Amino acid sequence: MTVPTDLDLRFRETAARSGMLDAGYDLVDSPLGPLLVAASDRGLLRISFDAEIEQHLEWLARIAGRNVLRAPRRVDAARRELDEYFEGRRHAFGLAVDLREVTPFTERVLSELARVPFGETVTYGALAARAGRPKAARAVGMTMNRNRIPIVLPCHRVIGANGSLVGYAGGLERKVALLTLEGAIL
Amino acid sequence: MTVPTTIPPFEVFYATHGPEVLGLLRRRLGRDRADDAFQETFLRALRAYDRLEHGEHLRAWVLTIASRVAIDVHRRTTPTVDVPEILHEDARPAYEDLGDLTEGLPAKERAAVMLRYGYDLSYDQIAAMLESSSDAARQAASSGVRRLRKEARP
């Protein structure tokens, strides 16, 4: 016995509308490969280039609560904005983010990061200064490395003082692809 | 917030037990009515899921919810017919027999008896499932048992 697809989707749809989910997730297609996107009712919890959901379920349950379900509807808004971004029709995201478990410093850094506009770059040191800790370039690097909402929180726009790309948790080739898409590098 | 590792994320629970629940509901209600009952079962489970304290009886738990939903659907959609209850001499309230034995009980009492004596759940767990208090669950189970005794007496 398997659950027919239409019945399965109907339940997931109803569950997403019920207000009882702590988090819903789905895969979103992108030119960089499938993205795992998860959101609570507060906002985005996770975007990952690693689309193996088993890697994320326990983490999502720990952060948001155990009522975690694949629920395409829950990430519809994110799917739409990401599609538009990758088609070059969107330069800024209007999506809320759920940063419930991060430290105040991380939150400050990420909110400064969110202000770095499409097509521009900033150095780790400059971002540290904007977050009020000019000497914390290394800590900012760690924060970028652990950013769990890449693309929307644009850690790909943060580069080294000498102009090198340094690194990207999702793979350096993806950082290059995103900056190329935005026209920040040729 | 820490989540005891014994209770999996709802996705895992749903994927694991969905097929068996659908099978049970189709046997009890037929294909047409089973679909709605399937939704209702997992919505009830979802509602109680974050209050579960351990994950040892998840299968029994969700099958009991499904049985209860099936009873509710059956009551709503089947005209009542007077059929005398026949209790066999050797009818024992063992795990398998409990479902048939408790058929005539009010839904809440039946669920409480099934969960307590069929599946050995605590009154707290039963209360979470039935959306009532632990005391009410205890009362429902004991009045269900009293009713069964009365019916079983010649």
Side-chain angles (χ1 to χ4, degrees), chain A residues 125-179:
Chain A
L127 189 58
R130 289 182 199 176
R133 297 261 303 275
K135 289 181 184 158
R138 189 172 285 272
V140 164
M142 290 297 280
T143 304
M144 295 305 105
N145 186 252
R146 290 179 188 151
N147 176 19
R148 49 182 180 68
I149 314 176
I151 307 175
V152 170
L153 294 178
C155 55
H156 58 278
R157 293 175 193 154
V158 188
I159 61 174
N162 58 2
S164 73
L165 294 180
V166 184
Y168 193 59
L172 204 58
E173 73 285 358
R174 291 201 173 99
K175 190 169 188 173
V176 172
L178 290 168
L179 289 173

Side-chain angles (χ1 to χ4, degrees), chain B:
Chain B
M1 182 183 154
T2 55
V3 176
T5 50
T6 47
I7 302 179
F10 192 83
E11 172 70 29
V12 174
F13 163 79
Y14 168 73
T16 306
H17 301 294
E20 189 176 6
V21 163
L22 186 60
L24 179 149
L25 291 169
R26 281 184 174 174
R27 282 194 304 279
R28 295 269 183 94
L29 298 169
R31 261 171 185 268
D32 292 347
R33 293 188 297 174
D35 282 9
D36 286 342
F38 176 83
Q39 297 238 36
E40 178 63 23
T41 298
F42 279 103
L43 283 175
R44 286 192 200 182
L46 182 62
R47 191 172 299 132
Y49 201 68
D50 61 355
R51 281 175 286 160
L52 289 178
E53 278 167 23
H54 64 82
E56 282 161 38
H57 302 289
L58 289 178
R59 179 172 170 272
W61 180 66
V62 72
L63 291 178
T64 308
I65 299 176
S67 302
R68 191 164 167 249
V69 169
I71 295 166
D72 291 352
V73 171
H74 208 71
R75 291 234 163 102
R76 274 204 302 274
T77 54
T78 313
T80 48
V81 190
D82 258 339
V83 181
E85 282 283 321
I86 300 165
L87 279 179
H88 296 288
E89 290 258 321
D90 63 346
R92 283 169 306 179
Y95 186 93
E96 306 85 39
D97 299 332
L98 204 54
D100 296 333
L101 197 63
T102 56
E103 194 118 58
L105 292 182
K108 207 149 210 169
E109 292 181 11
R110 183 182 193 206
V113 170
M114 290 280 290
L115 290 168
R116 182 66 196 96
Y117 299 104
Y119 299 111
D120 201 28
L121 300 189
S122 74
Y123 287 117
D124 283 347
Q125 291 173 305
I126 299 170
M129 245 201 65
L130 302 183
E131 299 185 293
S132 70
S133 67
S134 172
D135 280 349
R138 190 187 304 271
Q139 247 163 40
S142 76
S143 74
V145 168
R146 264 203 309 279
R147 207 187 297 269
L148 285 177
R149 287 211 181 105
K150 217 184 290 172
E151 281 175 13
R153 221 169 275 147

